[in-house]
Amino acid sequence: MALAFFGLSIFLFLNLDLDGASFSPASAASDSGPEITYGSVVKLMHERTKYRLHSHDVPYGSGSGQQSVTGFPNVDDANSYWIVRPQPGTNAKQGDSIKTGTIIRLQHMKTRKWLHSHLHASPISGNLEVSCFGGENESDTGDYWRLMIEGSGKTWKQDQRIRLHHVDTNSYLHSHDKRYQRIAGGQQEVCGVREKRADNVWLAAEGIYLPVTESK
């Protein structure tokens, strides 16, 4: 009941159409899960460590000083929700399915900033920093991530193994078990690396999935 109420609150906040939408918890990896469509609200789970991609209104103390992005160990934190948005200037609309190779943006639900990367060094490992930046009417190419589905799948679905390739820096969204000790104690670093590694695989886990509305 609490999850259903929370899901309803999200949609009221976003002013989205509730018709046909469903809340979906994480499940075993499968190719038959619901599709992730534009406008859906999802948590991205790091495959190896099971931490969720997370942000909150706390700036990095080094690098860009922008809003920090981390991996969060607990499942039930509202700061781990991201809204899937299209690249500006395309014909994509809410409810469209998303194919591998498509450039997407991820908007942090609570702060409305965009998942972003650039050439600043990440705080722990010295890889590329991943931050949250901008706002509803402020977005640039540093917010562009190319969806790359692992395996034979062509359309993004829950629990599919994916990589997110950052267009500007030619790097992959990455995490590992290197953890912060002070401000974000217990949370692990999220960064960008330019090589394909086992630690840059993610899955769409919990979320509220809007139904596919595009014509077939």
Side-chain angles (χ1 to χ4, degrees):
M1 180 64 70
L3 289 176
F5 177 79
F6 180 61
L8 178 60
S9 299
I10 291 173
F11 275 96
L12 290 173
F13 175 66
L14 297 175
N15 197 27
L16 298 176
D17 184 1
L18 281 168
D19 186 29
S22 60
F23 182 88
S24 184
S27 59
S30 168
D31 288 331
S32 59
E35 288 191 25
I36 289 90
T37 59
Y38 290 119
S40 294
V41 182
V42 302
K43 290 186 178 182
L44 289 179
M45 180 178 73
H46 187 240
E47 183 184 48
R48 189 175 69 81
T49 64
K50 312 306 180 191
Y51 278 46
R52 270 60 175 175
L53 185 69
H54 179 90
S55 189
H56 47 264
D57 193 13
V58 175
Y60 284 120
S62 61
S64 69
Q66 294 172 5
Q67 183 172 303
S68 57
V69 173
T70 63
F72 197 77
N74 299 334
V75 174
D76 58 348
D77 192 283
N79 283 304
S80 300
Y81 278 106
W82 302 84
I83 310 163
V84 184
R85 303 289 197 198
Q87 179 184 359
T90 67
N91 294 323
K93 61 186 183 301
Q94 180 177 303
D96 282 355
S97 57
I98 306 170
K99 299 185 183 304
T100 190
T102 302
I103 293 175
I104 64 171
R105 297 177 298 161
L106 292 173
Q107 186 177 31
H108 189 241
M109 192 194 75
K110 195 162 186 180
T111 64
R112 318 304 283 182
K113 296 182 179 181
W114 305 96
L115 186 69
H116 185 89
S117 191
H118 37 221
L119 297 179
H120 291 282
S122 62
I124 298 178
S125 64
N127 290 308
L128 297 174
E129 182 189 273
V130 173
S131 64
C132 268
F133 183 67
E136 292 286 0
N137 299 309
E138 184 184 0
S139 179
D140 60 28
T141 58
D143 309 329
Y144 291 4
W145 301 84
R146 190 179 301 277
L147 173 72
M148 302 176 68
I149 298 172
E150 296 289 296
S152 60
K154 302 299 182 186
T155 304
W156 193 12
K157 296 180 181 179
Q158 184 189 27
D159 299 314
Q160 279 180 323
R161 302 173 71 247
I162 67 164
R163 298 177 197 269
L164 290 174
H165 181 254
H166 189 248
V167 174
D168 277 4
T169 62
N170 192 31
S171 64
Y172 295 94
L173 186 68
H174 182 89
S175 192
H176 40 214
D177 55 9
K178 294 179 173 62
R179 297 191 175 94
Y180 293 96
Q181 300 299 318
R182 292 186 294 175
I183 295 176
Q187 298 176 43
Q188 66 190 27
E189 184 183 56
V190 170
C191 57
V193 297
R194 290 197 168 103
E195 305 84 18
K196 271 191 178 182
R197 300 181 189 173
D199 271 345
N200 45 52
V201 175
W202 302 78
L203 302 93
E206 304 81 11
I208 302 172
Y209 298 96
L210 297 184
V212 175
T213 58
E214 63 188 349
S215 57
K216 301 294 185 182

